[in-house]
Amino acid sequence: MKKHLPNIDIVIVSLSKIKIGLYKDSILFEEIETNEKTSEYLPKIYNELIKKYNIERIVYSRGPGSFMSLKLTYVFLKTLNISKNIKLFACDGFVFTNNSPIKAMGNLYFVKENGKISLKKFENEVETQISLPKNINLIKYDENIEPLYILPAV
C-alpha cells in the first residue's frame, strides 16, 4: 500500500547555479542550492524529493542563461510533465534576480530593459543574486514553457 505523501510545488532556477524552492500551500518552506552540473543534479534531487513528497507542479526559469543548462532543465522537466503528469509552468529568469544582469559569457550579460532582453558588456564581473519568492503566487508564470534561448554572437 502506497503511503500518502504531502503535496508540494517546486520552483527551479538554473541560471548560474541551481536553486530550488519547495512550496507547501504556496508558501516557501525549504530552499536547496548547488553548484553541481544540471545533468547530474536534477535527476538526483528529483529522486530524493519523490520519496518525501507528491510533486503537483513545477515552475522553472526558462532563461536566459546557460544554453546547455536551459536545454537539460527543459528536457528533464518536460519528460516529468509527460510521464508523471506534473504540471509545468515557466517564467523568465529575471523574476528571480530582481531584474539584475544574468551572465552570458565572458564579460557579456543578459539584461532586461523596457521588457526587452538583450546583451550588454560589463567591464567588471557582475554577481547575479538569485532569490526565491516567499509565496509562489507572487511569481508571474505561464504555460509557455519553451526555453528562452538568446545566444550571443560568437
Side-chain angles (χ1 to χ4, degrees):
M1 179 182 215
K2 188 176 177 182
K3 69 178 186 175
H4 179 70
L5 300 174
N7 294 333
I8 66 165
D9 297 321
I10 297 177
V11 170
I12 298 176
V13 182
S14 56
L15 300 173
S16 54
K17 57 183 151 195
I18 300 173
K19 194 165 203 173
I20 298 172
L22 307 181
Y23 293 78
K24 174 77 176 139
D25 298 324
S26 299
I27 305 299
L28 179 68
F29 71 88
E30 185 177 344
E31 288 187 32
I32 303 165
E33 189 172 326
T34 185
N35 288 320
E36 289 184 52
K37 292 181 179 181
T38 303
S39 60
E40 296 170 14
Y41 191 71
L42 283 183
K44 182 170 68 175
I45 192 64
Y46 174 75
N47 193 39
E48 290 175 20
L49 292 175
I50 62 168
K51 292 175 184 171
K52 300 192 295 192
Y53 304 107
N54 175 44
I55 302 168
E56 291 193 308
R57 69 181 165 168
I58 298 173
V59 177
Y60 88 105
S61 59
R62 62 187 197 101
S66 162
F67 177 80
M68 189 57 69
S69 183
L70 290 173
K71 185 177 258 324
L72 288 167
T73 301
Y74 172 73
V75 169
F76 183 81
L77 296 178
K78 185 62 179 172
T79 301
L80 293 179
N81 171 246
I82 294 167
S83 65
K84 302 293 185 186
N85 201 28
I86 296 173
K87 295 176 188 146
L88 183 57
F89 302 93
C91 58
D92 77 50
F94 293 101
V95 169
F96 306 104
T97 67
N98 197 24
N99 213 35
S100 65
I102 297 171
K103 179 91 168 162
M105 63 184 236
N107 58 355
L108 291 175
Y109 291 80
F110 298 106
V111 294
K112 187 173 184 180
E113 298 170 324
N114 301 319
K116 183 176 166 76
I117 298 172
S118 61
L119 284 168
K120 186 174 182 180
K121 189 177 195 176
F122 287 83
E123 294 305 317
N124 298 316
E125 186 173 339
V126 177
E127 186 177 340
T128 303
Q129 296 293 325
I130 299 170
S131 61
L132 297 169
K134 301 299 178 204
N135 186 319
I136 199 170
N137 293 330
L138 299 177
I139 301 174
K140 293 180 182 169
Y141 55 86
D142 60 38
E143 293 181 6
N144 180 7
I145 61 170
E146 302 257 334
L148 186 57
Y149 298 131
I150 301 172
L151 299 175
V154 185

